[in-house]
Amino acid sequence: MKKLLSILGLLLLAISMNIKVQATTGYNKTLVVFFSQTGNTKAVGNTIRELTGADIFELKASEPYPNDYHAIRVRAKAEQEKDIRPLLQALPKNVERYDTIFIGSPIWNHTIAQPIATFLGEFDFKGKTIIPFCTHGGGGAGHSASDIAKRTPGAKVLDGYASTGNDIDKKAIGMWLRKLNIIK
């Protein structure tokens, strides 16, 4: 009986040490990063996190965008035309430890919002897998995926996901993730 208890104790010790190692070495190698103005892109990002178990980080501009649609378009267009990269309140930590990074943005003027451009300009994505996702008001993903690919040289950019408005379809997101072999 003592022998059995000793073995059981050693087994539990080994399991607890393994859990600690996983927690301190960044066991999760997938990150979801997004910018969301209205909450739609955030909802898609949260669904991806839920289905994949990924870590998640929301980008926020230091100077918030206005709530008025026309005012957003004017600011976004000016930033895009001059490639102005707005300051962010914070950036995710330890991006280098992630192998796969989902990058989500609303589509503004047929491409990514500039806070995403700021994020992409801060890190080296060489050797990483980048998976874009976006939300739009009916005009589609535009050239957002190719713009992300241009800003992440050396990364493998997979097929993205586009959602219209607040139509967050968990089943469709799951099918997309299975098609990419991200989940089973």
Side-chain angles (χ1 to χ4, degrees), residues 36 38-51 133-136 161-174:
S36 186
T38 62
N40 296 336
T41 309
K42 182 176 188 171
V44 174
N46 281 330
T47 302
I48 292 167
R49 181 205 46 80
E50 179 186 331
L51 293 172
F133 67 95
C134 68
T135 55
H136 58 86
Y161 180 82
S163 176
T164 304
N166 62 0
D167 181 25
I168 311 309
D169 186 342
K170 185 175 179 179
K171 185 176 178 181
I173 293 170

Side-chain angles (χ1 to χ4, degrees), residues 19-79:
I19 289 169
K20 284 182 184 176
V21 168
Q22 288 177 352
T24 59
T25 60
Y27 182 74
N28 191 348
K29 298 291 186 182
T30 303
L31 175 65
V32 177
V33 176
F34 66 90
F35 169 77
S36 186
Q37 176 66 22
T38 62
N40 296 336
T41 309
K42 182 176 188 171
V44 174
N46 281 330
T47 302
I48 292 167
R49 181 205 46 80
E50 179 186 331
L51 293 172
T52 64
D55 293 338
I56 193 163
F57 189 89
E58 181 175 7
L59 300 171
K60 294 184 179 188
S62 292
E63 181 184 327
Y65 286 84
N67 290 324
D68 177 70
Y69 177 73
H70 178 71
I72 291 171
R73 288 201 53 165
V74 168
R75 177 174 164 186
K77 185 175 182 180
E79 288 177 345

Side-chain angles (χ1 to χ4, degrees), residues 87-126:
L87 292 175
L88 300 174
Q89 291 179 9
L91 289 166
K93 305 270 188 251
N94 303 316
V95 170
E96 67 281 350
R97 76 180 178 109
Y98 294 99
D99 298 326
T100 302
I101 304 174
F102 288 87
I103 299 175
S105 177
I107 298 301
W108 289 351
N109 302 313
H110 310 287
T111 191
I112 57 173
Q114 285 302 99
I116 294 294
T118 301
F119 166 72
L120 295 175
E122 292 293 323
F123 299 100
D124 180 5
F125 295 96
K126 187 176 183 179

